[in-house]
Amino acid sequence: MSAETVDTAAAAVRPGSVRVHVRAALRRAAPALALFAAVRFAGVLCTALWAWRTGRHPRSLLGATWDSNWYLGVARYGYGSPAPRHMWPPDALADLAFFPLYPGLIRGLSAVVPIGALNAGLLLAWTAAAVAAWGIFAVGAHLYGRRAGTFLVVLWALLPHAVIQSLSYTEPLLTALAAWALYALLTGRPLWAGGLAVLAGLARPNGLAVAAAVVAAAVVRAWWRGRDGPVPRRKRTLRLYWVAALIAPAGWLGYVLWVGIRTGAGPRGYFQVQEIWGSRFDFGRDTLRSVKRLFLHDGPLLHPVAAAVLAVSVLLLVLLVLDRPPLPLLVYTVVLVVLALGGTGYFPSKPRFLLPAFPLLVPAAVVLARARPRTVVLTVGSLAALSLGYGVYLLAMAPLPL
């Protein structure tokens, strides 16, 4: 049992212990969160400077870009409203592809606080990104120590597509829910993990990966049921894990079934909506065709960078498997990678779909935690230049959507 688990257990029996524990956890994560905030502030500043230089408003660039417009439309008018201006596809069912948690939160916040849907979306996204960074640190520090946890956060903040963490997109929200669900599983809180998995399933289609991690944790608990204490306690604990496993897919499944009712197509309704966007699962054939086209035709920078990110992700997944992480962490990551590689659709968006797959960065974070200061400075500096520069390109100069 780790020292952090002992602290948690001790805190649970003292009056006001929850508040004390949260404050202690925040103090422990403060250096990582400060670095994350500095990186994201630099990213927003670079984007804002470029926006002003080109006569655009930074807030609109960050809060009303591509998919953000669809979420804002659902938040303002509900599902079935006309497509945002100049957005494709102009189909009455197209907005059903966007899961309801984030637009629902935007609508709720803008109703309570008179700041408008656009500002509410940005505030929620930035808050979710900070909570995600905290959860990523918690997972990394619990498994590999505080230094590795800090580098895990820094690497996540410096991904080539990390500009998404500053936009009104749902990847930060899913990452926050996933990170804390995984932390709950690692520290023996299955019902918390199950509840967060329900919310993750309402946030994004690949939120189903969190439910898969909860189910994996229940399987592990059942496998080890004879080795962790008295029989009554073992049975009670196992029941909690199976309850969590049963409720975990409820958010994703509930929305998919609701879309089926809304479209009148039954269980196939949601998948028919995805086909409007050209999205389906073809076991990677479309991904391979897209990579093949890179060698035969010239294209925007987005395509080769996306291919490079996917290749590095596969390599990092192999390294993660060799590191033998806890099964829920591995299952969550594998499901995200399989969904990103195996699905059809818009190829340059695949790195964005992998943004919540932060466990892929564990091997690199562990190496940096043991590296010399000079190596750390050169590595982090190079990644920062790449991430900030490419982020401005993606948002302000790229000819294609994110």
Side-chain angles (χ1 to χ4, degrees):
M1 182 180 293
S2 69
E4 189 168 352
T5 305
V6 173
D7 291 342
T8 302
V13 297
R14 295 196 301 270
S17 60
V18 173
R19 185 180 303 172
V20 171
H21 181 64
V22 169
R23 288 177 178 173
L26 268 174
R27 284 196 299 270
R28 192 165 185 255
L33 296 180
L35 289 170
F36 175 79
V39 171
R40 294 285 21 104
F41 175 77
V44 170
L45 181 60
C46 290
T47 302
L49 291 174
W50 190 268
W52 283 320
R53 182 178 181 273
T54 56
R56 303 173 68 181
H57 197 290
R59 186 186 60 176
S60 298
L61 193 61
L62 294 168
T65 297
W66 304 116
D67 284 7
S68 302
N69 289 311
W70 288 97
Y71 288 114
L72 289 173
V74 173
R76 288 166 174 157
Y77 313 115
Y79 287 106
S81 57
R85 188 180 179 186
H86 303 309
M87 298 294 286
W88 179 92
D91 191 292
L93 300 177
D95 59 2
L96 290 172
F98 297 89
F99 276 49
L101 181 60
Y102 183 55
L105 291 173
I106 293 174
R107 188 167 192 163
L109 180 60
S110 58
V112 174
V113 185
I115 58 176
L118 193 153
N119 290 327
L122 277 175
L123 179 59
L124 286 166
W126 291 354
T127 302
V131 174
W134 187 11
I136 290 169
F137 171 81
V139 171
H142 178 77
L143 292 174
Y144 304 100
R146 292 176 63 178
R147 186 171 171 83
T150 299
F151 279 114
L152 188 60
V153 172
V154 171
L155 289 174
W156 188 67
L158 294 177
L159 288 170
H161 287 68
V163 67
I164 301 298
Q165 299 164 15
S166 300
L167 305 185
S168 291
Y169 274 50
T170 51
E171 281 78 10
L173 179 59
L174 174 58
T175 308
L177 295 168
W180 285 107
L182 291 171
Y183 181 73
L185 291 174
L186 294 172
T187 54
R189 299 176 177 89
L191 293 183
W192 276 102
L196 290 169
V198 173
L199 295 176
L202 290 169
R204 283 194 56 79
N206 54 357
L208 194 60
V210 185
V214 176
V215 173
V219 172
V220 170
R221 177 60 60 168
W223 179 265
W224 287 88
R225 65 184 181 274
R227 312 183 190 187
D228 57 357
V231 172
R233 190 178 74 184
R234 294 202 307 265
K235 290 183 177 180
R236 184 170 60 251
T237 302
L238 185 57
R239 281 198 296 270
L240 292 177
Y241 274 90
W242 283 122
V243 169
L246 286 173
I247 67 172
W252 186 90
L253 187 60
Y255 181 68
V256 168
L257 293 177
W258 179 82
V259 171
I261 295 171
R262 177 72 178 256
T263 60
R268 288 256 332 142
Y270 169 75
F271 301 99
Q272 290 177 358
V273 169
Q274 287 292 339
E275 288 175 0
I276 295 173
W277 292 86
S279 297
R280 63 186 184 280
F281 193 80
D282 71 345
F283 299 93
R285 287 190 293 272
D286 185 68
T287 299
L288 291 175
R289 282 195 294 267
S290 297
V291 173
K292 181 180 178 181
R293 282 194 293 268
L294 289 175
F295 294 97
L296 301 177
H297 307 284
D298 292 332
L301 181 61
L302 280 75
H303 288 271
V305 172
V309 169
L310 294 181
V312 172
S313 297
V314 172
L315 175 60
L316 290 175
L317 181 60
V318 172
L319 294 176
L320 182 67
V321 171
L322 295 176
D323 193 53
R324 301 179 65 183
L327 184 62
L329 202 73
L330 182 60
V331 167
Y332 166 75
T333 310
V334 168
V335 171
L336 285 178
V337 173
V338 168
L339 290 176
L341 294 178
T344 65
Y346 184 54
F347 183 71
S349 289
K350 289 184 181 294
R352 172 164 66 87
F353 300 156
L354 287 172
L355 195 72
F358 67 89
L360 289 173
L361 303 171
V362 163
V366 172
V367 170
L368 282 177
R370 300 168 182 169
R372 295 178 179 179
R374 181 179 178 181
T375 302
V376 171
V377 170
L378 289 174
T379 302
V380 172
S382 301
L383 291 175
L386 171 64
S387 179
L388 297 179
Y390 190 63
V392 171
Y393 169 79
L394 281 176
L395 199 55
M397 294 181 283
L400 298 172
L402 294 172

